[in-house]
Amino acid sequence: MLKKAQIISKSLKDFIRFFQIRFMQNQAASAIQYHSGGDDYNPPDGIEAIGGSIGNNPAHSVIFAYKDSTEKICAPGEKRIYSTDESGKNIMAEIHLKNNGDIVLIPKGKILTQGTFEHTGDMNISGIMTANNIVSKNGATGSFTNSVNVQDGIVTEGS
């Protein structure tokens, strides 16, 4: 049987997140987090969740679905992934997969990447692009707003 539960506290051991929860009938229990593969979600304390026990054995309590107060804005067919601050009330980063094929990234901080960023197609930048070196490969055309210094086909100064 599934039950509503409130998360009281959390701990992490050997890649498994454990919870102290209070089922809405005021029964306290320990539960293990289950989620889809590849997920790592650490819900804020006090959030409402769905849980229960395997085989009606309270020693095997689980928790796996969470309810938050974030406004739901997806249109049919869309998926939105977001993180919140520790209170669970303010969205801090968001990826919105739109039903028209757009992918919208909205960070409150930075977008940090590692490795090689590869892009095919046009890139429109509103704002300033900063780089240590800009390499213009054979066949590249375009103009620069400010004067630049180039050495061996590499822009080393300017913009």
Side-chain angles (χ1 to χ4, degrees):
M1 174 186 351
L2 299 177
K3 302 175 185 178
K4 287 185 181 180
Q6 184 177 38
I7 297 170
I8 300 168
S9 65
K10 304 167 288 225
S11 62
L12 187 65
K13 182 180 181 205
D14 297 330
F15 304 107
I16 297 174
R17 192 166 282 119
F18 293 89
F19 295 88
Q20 286 296 314
I21 60 173
R22 183 174 315 288
F23 286 115
M24 296 310 217
Q25 298 88 354
N26 287 323
Q27 301 168 316
S30 294
I32 294 176
Q33 181 183 38
Y34 280 79
H35 46 75
S36 63
D39 285 348
D40 181 12
Y41 177 59
N42 190 351
D45 288 344
I47 196 168
E48 188 176 308
I50 295 292
S53 55
I54 299 170
N56 286 328
N57 183 345
H60 298 289
S61 292
V62 297
I63 194 160
F64 55 87
Y66 311 92
K67 179 183 176 189
D68 62 28
S69 59
T70 302
E71 181 183 8
K72 309 306 181 224
I73 62 172
C74 283
E78 294 184 349
K79 174 130 180 134
R80 181 171 159 236
I81 303 164
Y82 55 86
S83 64
T84 65
D85 60 8
E86 289 184 9
S87 74
K89 295 179 181 168
N90 300 301
I91 293 177
M92 300 306 291
E94 164 178 358
I95 301 171
H96 193 153
L97 307 176
K98 306 284 280 182
N99 62 11
N100 66 358
D102 288 350
I103 299 173
V104 180
L105 304 174
I106 305 173
K108 294 279 194 242
K110 300 175 183 177
I111 297 175
L112 305 172
T113 63
Q114 290 183 348
T116 301
F117 182 82
E118 294 187 19
H119 175 79
T120 302
D122 293 337
M123 184 175 288
N124 299 317
I125 299 173
S126 299
I128 298 171
M129 182 174 137
T130 304
N132 291 336
N133 293 306
I134 300 172
V135 178
S136 181
K137 294 193 174 192
N138 290 339
T141 60
S143 59
F144 293 95
T145 304
N146 301 318
S147 62
V148 295
N149 292 327
V150 178
Q151 184 176 349
D152 297 324
I154 299 173
V155 175
T156 56
E157 292 180 75
S159 60

